[in-house]
Amino acid sequence: MRWLQNSFSCNVSFSSETSSRSRYNDCHRSPATPPIIALSSSRTIPRIVRGGTLKSSFATISTIFTYPMEYITLHTGALMPVVGLGTWQAAPAEVGPAVRAALLEHGYRHLDCASVYHNEPEIGLALRDVFSRMKRQDVFITSKLWITAHQPDRVVAACKKTLHDLQLEYLDLYLMHWGLAAVERDGDDDPRGSDNRLLRESISLRQTWEAMQALTRLGLVRSVGVANFTSPMLIDLLSYAAIRPAVNQIELHPYLQQSRLVEFCQSENIAVTAYSPLGSPGSLTRADQPVVLQDPVISGIAAAHGKTPAQVLLRWAIQRQTIAIPKTIRPERLAANIAIFDFTLSATERSALAGLERRHRYVDPWEWWGIPYFD
Ligand SMILES: NC(=O)c1ccc[n+]([C@@H]2O[C@H](COP(=O)([O-])OP(=O)(O)OC[C@H]3O[C@@H](n4cnc5c(N)ncnc54)[C@H](OP(=O)(O)O)[C@@H]3O)[C@@H](O)[C@H]2O)c1
């Protein structure tokens, strides 16, 4: 896993179009490969070849902006932009305009999707439009296998459904969304037993991972990874994985830093994506939850840099060499959340942020599935 910096130009046309949640989601209330850099697939010593400036392939040219971006090199050799657009709780009617604006106007080159967000068809419509103006290979797209599709013979079908919905031929990254399996029952993505707990299914992570690996051989996905994996789950997975996970996507922000898990993943050449990097303010259900965006230490650091608290949180994430995927559907926040490459947090500031650790999870399955997943 290596970190690369890059600026690339985009020709942006102002004439371009701009600007159901499930029970699971309800419960949660409670260039990808810029051609200027080519890498070998060597796990430890990527060969970096520098070339010229990437020109994107928009049909109409009216203005040229330069968007800075940084990339993490996955063990597969793929380059993953360190900022991506999250799409959980982006309503179907709102997600399309946000995706178009993010990719065509604001320089995003990375989308984080999931079948359980119930908005992949709307994202697919936006992507069909976007990829008539820019190249598919310039955007890194992640999606996730839901827990009711862990049975090996359902994995390929689930991946193909996501590809169909997103109108793509391949995914850059496909993640096992959670490290547990639930029964498939009439398409219900949140099956419950009489005790209201999740109805688990007896499928090992190994069975599912082997089916995930097969997706790469079928050419449906470029890299496979996991989400919400703890270190014991990863250690077990690594004991049999023929293809190692490229990424572990976990909740990370100053109130839940998981520094030891981050370091463990990075030492194993598994890149770490920070989900809910802003503390998932759209998911807050209880008045007693701390709001990381309102933390006075973060506000103070933001004021010192002339930045917003959200930008400090995202800068903190990428200075930890993690990948941040903030979700927004608002144009002004799309712009702000990617404008984080023009300042640096000092060691003193990072130390102050480290002191904010509270081990507070905003996304905790105990609250909706009744499973002590992280205990
Ligand atoms: N693997 C997993 O299990 C998992 C779990 C959770 C999330 N994720 C992924 O991670 C992404 C991000 O996490 P998240 O959606 O939980 O939370 P988040 O990105 O931390 O926060 C999103 C919320 O913050 C607001 N927001 C965005 N930019 C802002 C800014 N600059 N200032 C103030 N508020 C701002 C958004 O509202 P507006 O939209 O109104 O701007 C939204 O309510 C998800 O969308 C999803 O793709 C994965």
Side-chain angles (χ1 to χ4, degrees):
M1 193 187 75
R2 297 287 280 247
W3 193 270
L4 297 172
Q5 287 185 302
N6 179 30
S7 287
F8 61 94
S9 297
C10 278
N11 305 330
V12 176
S13 165
F14 283 120
S15 64
S16 66
E17 187 178 343
T18 60
S19 359
S20 56
R21 279 197 330 206
S22 63
R23 281 164 58 198
Y24 165 81
N25 284 334
D26 290 339
C27 293
H28 271 69
R29 272 196 314 270
S30 67
T33 50
I36 69 164
I37 302 171
L39 294 172
S40 73
S41 57
S42 159
R43 181 177 163 191
T44 51
I45 314 172
R47 184 171 54 86
I48 301 175
V49 181
R50 293 193 182 277
T53 302
L54 167 66
K55 298 283 185 193
S56 69
S57 57
F58 293 121
T60 316
I61 299 172
S62 53
T63 305
I64 296 179
F65 292 117
T66 297
Y67 298 119
M69 181 50 75
E70 295 176 4
Y71 301 85
I72 279 185
T73 308
L74 304 181
H75 75 68
T76 56
L79 297 181
M80 187 168 180
V82 299
V83 178
L85 178 65
T87 60
W88 177 40
Q89 295 182 317
E94 296 171 330
V95 75
V99 165
R100 281 191 194 89
L103 294 173
L104 295 175
E105 295 176 34
H106 299 295
Y108 285 74
R109 291 295 177 267
H110 172 182
L111 285 184
D112 185 76
C113 311
S115 60
V116 78
Y117 301 162
H118 295 281
N119 55 14
E120 287 191 332
E122 291 75 16
I123 294 173
L125 288 172
L127 290 179
R128 188 176 62 182
D129 177 31
V130 166
F131 292 137
S132 67
R133 306 171 199 217
M134 61 189 296
K135 292 177 185 165
R136 164 67 184 92
Q137 62 264 35
D138 290 346
V139 184
F140 190 102
I141 302 179
T142 302
S143 188
K144 311 185 193 86
L145 178 79
W146 188 236
I147 56 173
T148 52
H150 272 216
Q151 192 160 308
D153 63 7
R154 290 203 290 265
V155 171
V156 173
C159 183
K160 284 185 173 172
K161 168 83 165 66
T162 274
L163 287 170
H164 174 267
D165 287 348
L166 292 174
Q167 305 203 30
L168 299 176
E169 291 181 358
Y170 70 91
L171 291 168
D172 294 280
L173 178 64
Y174 198 49
L175 305 177
M176 214 189 286
H177 205 144
W178 290 90
L180 56 77
V183 300
E184 205 291 317
R185 195 176 59 182
D186 303 327
D188 183 357
D189 55 33
D190 191 19
R192 302 298 179 107
S194 53
D195 59 358
N196 202 34
R197 285 178 199 263
L198 184 76
L199 268 184
R200 285 176 289 120
E201 189 168 23
S202 294
I203 301 169
S204 70
L205 295 179
R206 180 174 190 160
Q207 288 172 279
T208 308
W209 186 253
E210 285 170 354
M212 295 278 288
Q213 291 175 160
L215 298 175
T216 64
R217 291 191 284 274
L218 292 170
L220 301 177
V221 310
R222 298 276 161 94
S223 301
V224 281
V226 293
N228 296 300
F229 266 44
T230 60
S231 52
M233 294 164 76
L234 284 169
I235 288 165
D236 188 61
L237 182 73
L238 292 173
S239 73
Y240 54 76
I243 301 176
R244 298 162 62 86
V247 167
N248 187 18
Q249 183 182 115
I250 54 177
E251 180 178 341
L252 291 175
H253 42 73
Y255 287 174
L256 183 70
Q257 304 190 15
Q258 306 201 68
S259 297
R260 293 189 295 199
L261 179 56
V262 170
E263 283 167 22
F264 176 72
C265 290
Q266 292 174 340
S267 74
E268 289 289 338
N269 209 14
I270 299 169
V272 179
T273 299
Y275 78 63
S276 304
L278 307 178
S280 203
S283 312
L284 298 180
T285 48
R286 298 194 317 267
D288 62 339
Q289 283 181 291
V291 181
V292 68
L293 270 173
Q294 293 173 3
D295 190 289
V297 171
I298 296 168
S299 305
I301 294 171
H305 287 278
K307 290 286 183 179
T308 66
Q311 288 170 321
V312 169
L313 290 172
L314 298 170
R315 183 71 210 174
W316 175 78
I318 67 168
Q319 281 189 228
R320 300 178 91 199
Q321 305 218 341
T322 61
I323 298 144
I325 48 171
K327 173 264 175 184
T328 184
I329 45 93
R330 304 189 199 198
E332 70 281 8
R333 290 178 175 175
L334 283 170
N337 291 351
I338 204 166
I340 57 168
F341 298 104
D342 57 354
F343 74 113
T344 304
L345 299 173
S346 68
T348 307
E349 289 166 334
R350 281 184 281 126
S351 166
L353 292 167
L356 299 180
E357 174 66 87
R358 296 184 184 204
R359 298 190 180 213
H360 181 80
R361 285 186 188 281
Y362 294 105
V363 179
D364 187 347
W366 172 250
E367 292 181 8
W368 62 88
W369 288 334
I371 293 176
Y373 187 102
F374 290 115
D375 290 12

